Amino acid sequence: MTGAILVAGSANLDFVVRAPHIPAPGETVLGGAFRTFPGGKGANQAVAAARAGGAATRMLVALGDDAYATELEASLRDAGVTLALVRSDEPTGTAFICVSDAGENAITVAPGANGALRPAHLPELAGTSHLLLQLETPLASVAAYARAARDAGVRVVLNAAPAQALPAELLADLDVLIVNEGELALVTGIDGDIARALDALAIPCVIVTLGARGACARDGDTRLVQPGFAVEPVDTTGAGDTFCGVLAAALARGAALDGALREACAASALACTRPGAQTGVPPRGEVEALLAATPASDAQSTAALAAYCGFTSGTSATGQR
Ligand code: RIB
């Protein structure tokens, strides 16, 4: 093991119903069976990092004193995540999710105990190489954790989800920012031009997840693309979290960014093939098998993705630096 990850973030019990399509405002849709799954962006990312292996994973999390908390704690511990647990008087966080037959989702979060995380709750950072953050906990605490980690020489990775505008002080403390296209537009104010938005950010490394298309990144002056792995989606809930956790684990064990992107894209594709957020995170063996069975991306698909991203001359595709 070369690094160790601390995830500071949310945990929710996900209440999930499948339906033919996600209801529009004012519409009622007759759905199917109802199930609960362990979720929450922070906890999903912690589980993904732990299952990816190679880096010890801890999580700072706030839970209520209720049965939902018991289920969420068990899922984290079963995955090998050690906990820095804040017990709150508020109920454990919950999320209400509709998953369509196409595997897409719409999510509403009731944060509950997640709102209890304060700057003072950050545990000792000695031995930690990477801090992984999201935006389902109070923004002031996220910013304080990033600053403390930066001061301690810990690399700070932020997944800016759910989307919101971010203070400049927080952006200045980041080593890696992971966003989807909507989040990139909100953070930069630039919509529909990935290349220009990437260049507008002063963060050393910015990664954009592109759903089934794959991912792209700007690492210093280098631009990379990683085409997605083709799968039949069953449930995309937690696929982005799987990407973030697996990417952080790969970086913590010393992988180069191109290899980390490929591993994260493979894991997030596999996560779409089974229901639930944490239940969907694949074990490392499955990811390795998919990577071994899939040839490196061909020039045509990397060129098409580079064009989609607005990367022109000078673009590096993964494996083609
Ligand atoms: O990213 C998926 C997650 O978002 C779900 O598990 C839900 O809990 C919300 O946090």
Side-chain angles (χ1 to χ4, degrees):
M1 279 203 188
T2 50
I5 297 169
L6 174 66
V7 180
S10 59
N12 303 320
L13 192 66
D14 292 349
F15 290 72
V16 180
V17 63
R18 295 195 72 97
H21 64 270
I22 293 166
E27 182 184 10
T28 298
V29 173
L30 203 55
F34 155 79
R35 288 181 69 183
T36 61
F37 295 95
K41 295 189 191 305
N44 299 343
Q45 293 180 21
V47 166
R51 284 201 190 133
T57 305
R58 269 189 308 163
M59 180 174 185
L60 169 63
V61 62
L63 299 171
D65 189 7
D66 49 36
Y68 299 168
T70 308
E71 189 171 340
L72 293 173
E73 266 191 74
S75 180
L76 285 159
R77 291 193 203 279
D78 287 352
V81 179
T82 56
L83 299 184
L85 181 55
V86 175
R87 194 65 72 180
S88 167
D89 291 338
E90 293 294 317
T92 295
T94 45
F96 300 86
I97 304 179
C98 180
V99 178
S100 74
D101 283 348
E104 293 176 323
N105 63 62
I107 304 177
T108 305
V109 173
N114 294 307
L117 278 190
R118 297 284 169 263
H121 289 133
L122 186 69
E124 177 59 49
L125 290 174
T128 302
S129 63
H130 290 73
L131 174 67
L132 179 55
L133 301 163
Q134 320 75 32
L135 299 175
E136 281 186 339
T137 48
L139 186 59
S141 300
V142 171
Y145 300 158
R147 169 46 54 97
R150 168 58 65 100
D151 289 347
V154 173
R155 291 176 68 80
V156 182
V157 183
L158 172 68
N159 172 221
Q164 60 177 282
L166 296 175
E169 305 77 48
L170 173 56
L171 293 174
D173 283 333
L174 302 181
D175 294 286
V176 181
L177 174 68
I178 307 172
V179 284
N180 64 23
E181 289 175 86
E183 292 151 4
L184 179 68
L186 201 66
V187 169
T188 61
I190 299 170
D191 200 359
D193 190 339
I194 293 172
R196 193 160 68 85
L198 287 174
D199 286 346
L201 289 164
I203 301 161
C205 177
V206 183
I207 296 166
V208 187
T209 58
L210 302 166
R213 283 194 169 88
C216 69
R218 179 192 51 70
D219 186 27
D221 291 334
T222 303
R223 291 167 169 181
L224 302 99
V225 294
Q226 173 58 58
F229 291 72
V231 291
E232 280 298 318
V234 169
D235 181 0
T236 57
T237 309
D241 298 326
T242 298
F243 181 98
C244 295
V246 170
L247 185 106
L251 295 179
R253 80 171 92 91
L257 183 61
D258 55 359
L261 284 174
R262 190 164 187 267
E263 187 179 334
C265 280
S268 62
L270 288 170
C272 296
T273 64
R274 60 203 98 194
Q278 288 164 42
T279 48
V281 176
R284 182 166 170 76
E286 282 186 33
V287 179
E288 283 174 340
L290 178 60
L291 290 170
T294 310
S297 309
D298 58 71
Q300 197 178 355
S301 55
T302 54
L305 186 55
Y308 176 81
C309 298
F311 294 172
T312 51
S313 58
T315 300
S316 292
T318 56
Q320 297 185 350
R321 274 174 197 242

